[in-house]
């Protein structure tokens, strides 16, 4: 097998996106387009990967880190010029160089591997990744000679009527003999309407020199999509999500309605888990086995262990441990750690709090900056008052305690084990183990007072 190199073209601004965000950084299924491309290239294990950057160079480098080397294209003078700026890193090396664009997030490593294999088997000096479509308008057409090698690539605006009927199109991805690539690039000119140096001109130069140029037809045309505007971005997201959902279903996950279920690329889901319609799983979320994620739940960068039920709730940067249930309409904010067999009921909000095994928080409660032990019952309308206007403070509640409805726990506070907070209390002092705490105004009834009031309207 030849030594392999890869060049990812990611220097263009992407003006048709009409965005302040650099084009290749627009996300598809929760991940920047250029990172999708890099991941597929990494799967090929090339000796060297070079990403050509220009507009927004530092942001691209920040996104990809040390997974790639970089070459700077200060002026965007065409695809040929973009590859030429990698000369110092790659020229004069023997092997096969893959050139592809950073805005093609649907390309797969399988397709790229097949392209490279075809290139090396045919001993071509260049191989074009092509696709066939019944709607080729806008794409460059592949013109083949009698031996079925590529004769030339004709752009839509330059194609004759006969050439426009050709259904094999150029995807903008190529393989080259590395040494021949850089020699040919030295001959590429910019005498065209755009005044740019086109990588496609290398094909004509190699043909003129008597070298073979081959083509490999990719199996799925939709995977060739290059994202140049928001319409194409939407199509890329749709295609990627269909691919992701299909993979999870093959691996044993039930989707009630895959068309309305949105799963980011890095999400992991265990088998026998069921996702209802409208579920959104984002970022680095991990869902265990035998879970039920109810309709319209959104979970981001969180871990949901096995046998958990989440009903129409929002969870972010949190962990829910085995056998617990959350919702409906609960909100777990960052650093919520929900222990095993815990019940988090409707309209409960938890933030930066640890709730241990068997504790029940039924409804309409806020728990922030707290540690709750095991088997605690938290009544309706309880508020853990954690903020004094300047600083956050923490509350600790011991195991087997009872927090009565509509209680306010004013932090910093410690409530001992097996203690009892009477409903409606505002607790400002620590509560000893096995104590009853009552902090509310003594009730007083005024007999006959209602007769003095005006009639209700």
């Amino acid at each position: 097998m030849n030594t392999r190199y890869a060049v990812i073209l990611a220097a263009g601004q992407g003006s048709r996106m009409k965005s302040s965000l650099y084009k290749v950084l627009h996300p598809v299924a929760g991940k920047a387009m250029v990172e999708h491309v890099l991941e597929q290239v990494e799967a090929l294990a090339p000796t060297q990967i070079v990403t050509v950057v220009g507009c927004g160079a530092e942001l691209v480098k920040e996104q990809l880190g040390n997974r790639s080397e970089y070459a700077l294209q200060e002026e965007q003078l065409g695809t040929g010029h973009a590859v030429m700026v990698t000369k110092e890193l790659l020229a004069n090396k023997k092997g096969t160089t893959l050139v592809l664009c950073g805005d093609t997030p649907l390309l797969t490593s399988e397709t790229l591997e097949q392209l490279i294999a075809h290139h090396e088997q045919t001993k071509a000096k260049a191989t074009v990744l092509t696709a066939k479509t019944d709607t080729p308008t806008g794409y460059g057409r592949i013109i083949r000679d009698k031996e079925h090698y590529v004769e030339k690539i004709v752009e839509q605006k330059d194609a004759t009527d006969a050439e426009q009927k050709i259904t094999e199109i150029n995807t903008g991805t190529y393989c080259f003999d590395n040494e021949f690539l850089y020699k040919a690039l030295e001959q590429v000119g910019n005498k065209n309407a755009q005044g740019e140096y086109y990588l496609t001109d290398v094909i004509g130069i190699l043909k003129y020199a008597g070298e073979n140029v081959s083509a490999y037809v990719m199996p799925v045309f939709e995977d060739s999509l290059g994202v140049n505007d928001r319409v194409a971005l939407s199509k890329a997201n749709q295609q990627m999500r269909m691919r992701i959902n299909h993979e999870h279903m093959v691996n044993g996950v039930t989707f009630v309605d895959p068309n309305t279920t949105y799963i980011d690329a890095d999400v992991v889901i265990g088998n026998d888990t069921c996702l209802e319609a409208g579920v959104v799983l984002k970022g680095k979320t991990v869902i265990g086995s035998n879970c039920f994620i109810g309709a319209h739940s959104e979970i981001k960068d969180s871990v949901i262990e096995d046998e958990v039920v989440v009903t129409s709730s929002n969870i972010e940067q949190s962990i829910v441990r085995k056998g617990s249930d959350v919702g409906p309409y609960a909100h777990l904010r960052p650093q919520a750690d929900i222990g095993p067999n815990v019940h988090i009921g409707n309209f409960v909000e938890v933030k930066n709090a640890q709730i241990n095994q068997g504790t029940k928080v039924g409804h309409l409660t806020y728990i922030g900056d707290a540690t709750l032990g095991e088997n605690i019952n938290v009544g309706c309308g309880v508020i853990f008052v954690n903020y004094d206007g300047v600083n956050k403070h923490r509350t600790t509640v011991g195991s087997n305690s009872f927090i009565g409805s509509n209680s306010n726990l004013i932090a910093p506070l410690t409530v001992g084990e097996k203690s009892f907070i009477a409903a409606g209390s505002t607790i400002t002092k620590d509560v000893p183990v096995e104590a009853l705490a009552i902090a509310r105004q003594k009730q007083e009834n005024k007999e006959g007072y209602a007769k003095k009031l005006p009639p209700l309207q």
Side-chain angles (χ1 to χ4, degrees), residues 294-340:
H296 308 295
S297 294
E298 181 173 314
I299 304 174
K300 180 179 181 181
D301 293 326
S302 296
V303 175
I304 309 298
E305 294 187 351
D306 297 346
E307 300 173 13
V308 167
V309 174
V310 177
T311 307
S312 301
S313 293
N314 189 297
I315 300 174
E316 50 183 322
Q317 298 175 34
S318 296
I319 182 168
V320 182
R321 301 185 188 276
K322 184 176 180 179
S324 290
D325 65 279
V326 177
Y329 311 117
H331 186 186
L332 303 186
R333 291 168 58 194
Q335 285 77 58
D337 184 342
I338 309 304

Side-chain angles (χ1 to χ4, degrees), residues 121-176:
Q121 289 166 8
T122 58
K123 302 186 186 305
K125 292 299 183 284
T127 302
V128 184
L129 180 65
T130 70
K132 291 189 175 181
T133 174
D134 293 332
T135 56
T137 301
Y139 293 94
R141 307 302 202 279
I142 302 299
I143 312 299
R144 293 180 181 258
D145 61 22
K146 295 179 180 179
E147 285 74 35
H148 210 56
Y149 286 105
V150 174
E151 180 69 33
K152 59 182 177 177
I153 301 172
V154 180
E155 296 303 321
Q156 169 81 27
K157 63 181 180 298
D158 301 320
T160 65
D161 290 343
E163 289 169 339
Q164 288 188 20
K165 294 178 181 179
I166 295 173
T167 59
E168 185 178 8
I169 58 94
N170 176 26
T171 68
T173 297
Y174 311 87
C175 268
F176 296 98

